[in-house]
Amino acid sequence: MTEHSAIGIITRAVRLANADGFYVLLTFLLMTVPYVWADLMMSDNDALLTSGLITLASLVPQILLTERALMREGLIKVPRRENHAYFVRAFGQSLLAGLGFLIGLALLIIPGLILMARWSIALPLLIAGDRGATEALRESWDMTEGYFNLCLSTL
């Protein structure tokens, strides 16, 4: 099993999740419970708007958990969360990627899966360095070249 195989990546992700189990559970709950509540308690029109707002809000725990994992692995030294522009870039990157996924999925599913796999490491790249949203997407695309099947299988 190599580090660059689907099993290697999943094993490393599980190890990181186990090391921060409380935060993983908290992030999971913060990202799941509001969606379930909106789905059960609201009309379809209200739930759609609320789901959009929840999606934006759920990015914060994703960023913080990714930041903790990058720090644990020694890829970044200090938290960057006091920089508000950093969160704006992360929201922008997620919005661009999400729109790309939706358009790709609307074009017969395969293009959406390609974008999802090729942009899968954009958020960690944005968090780990001084990149803008489109820079992180472009770098993710370049770094995942030749690893499409691996990226798709680990999603």
Side-chain angles (χ1 to χ4, degrees):
M1 170 179 65
T2 67
E3 184 95 0
H4 298 294
S5 67
I7 298 298
I9 291 170
I10 291 169
T11 301
R12 190 170 183 183
V14 168
R15 185 176 45 81
L16 286 170
N18 285 336
D20 276 331
F22 172 76
Y23 292 101
V24 170
L25 178 62
L26 183 62
T27 300
F28 173 77
L29 291 174
L30 287 172
M31 292 174 61
T32 306
V33 171
Y35 285 111
V36 172
W37 175 82
D39 195 36
L40 293 174
M41 304 303 282
M42 300 180 141
S43 69
D44 288 343
N45 291 337
D46 291 339
L48 184 63
L49 175 62
T50 303
S51 290
L53 296 173
I54 293 169
T55 299
L56 288 176
S58 72
L59 187 58
V60 172
Q62 288 178 47
I63 290 169
L64 298 177
L65 188 62
T66 303
E67 185 179 74
R68 285 181 63 86
L70 291 171
M71 287 176 62
R72 182 175 298 286
E73 292 294 302
L75 297 172
I76 60 174
K77 301 293 181 212
V78 295
R80 302 182 61 222
R81 64 185 80 125
E82 55 276 342
N83 181 352
H84 298 298
Y86 160 69
F87 281 104
V88 172
R89 286 196 316 266
F91 279 116
Q93 180 268 316
S94 293
L95 183 64
L96 288 173
L99 288 173
F101 299 155
L102 287 175
I103 291 168
L105 289 172
L107 296 173
L108 302 174
I109 299 178
I110 301 299
L113 294 174
I114 292 169
L115 291 176
M116 193 178 303
R118 296 295 299 271
W119 288 343
S120 62
I121 60 171
L123 185 61
L125 287 171
L126 187 135
I127 292 170
D130 278 336
R131 294 168 183 84
T134 56
E135 240 181 306
L137 291 169
R138 190 176 314 111
E139 192 170 343
S140 177
W141 184 270
D142 293 341
M143 290 179 75
T144 57
E145 186 173 352
Y147 295 99
F148 172 75
N149 291 337
L150 175 64
C151 293
L152 189 61
S153 67
T154 57
L155 293 176

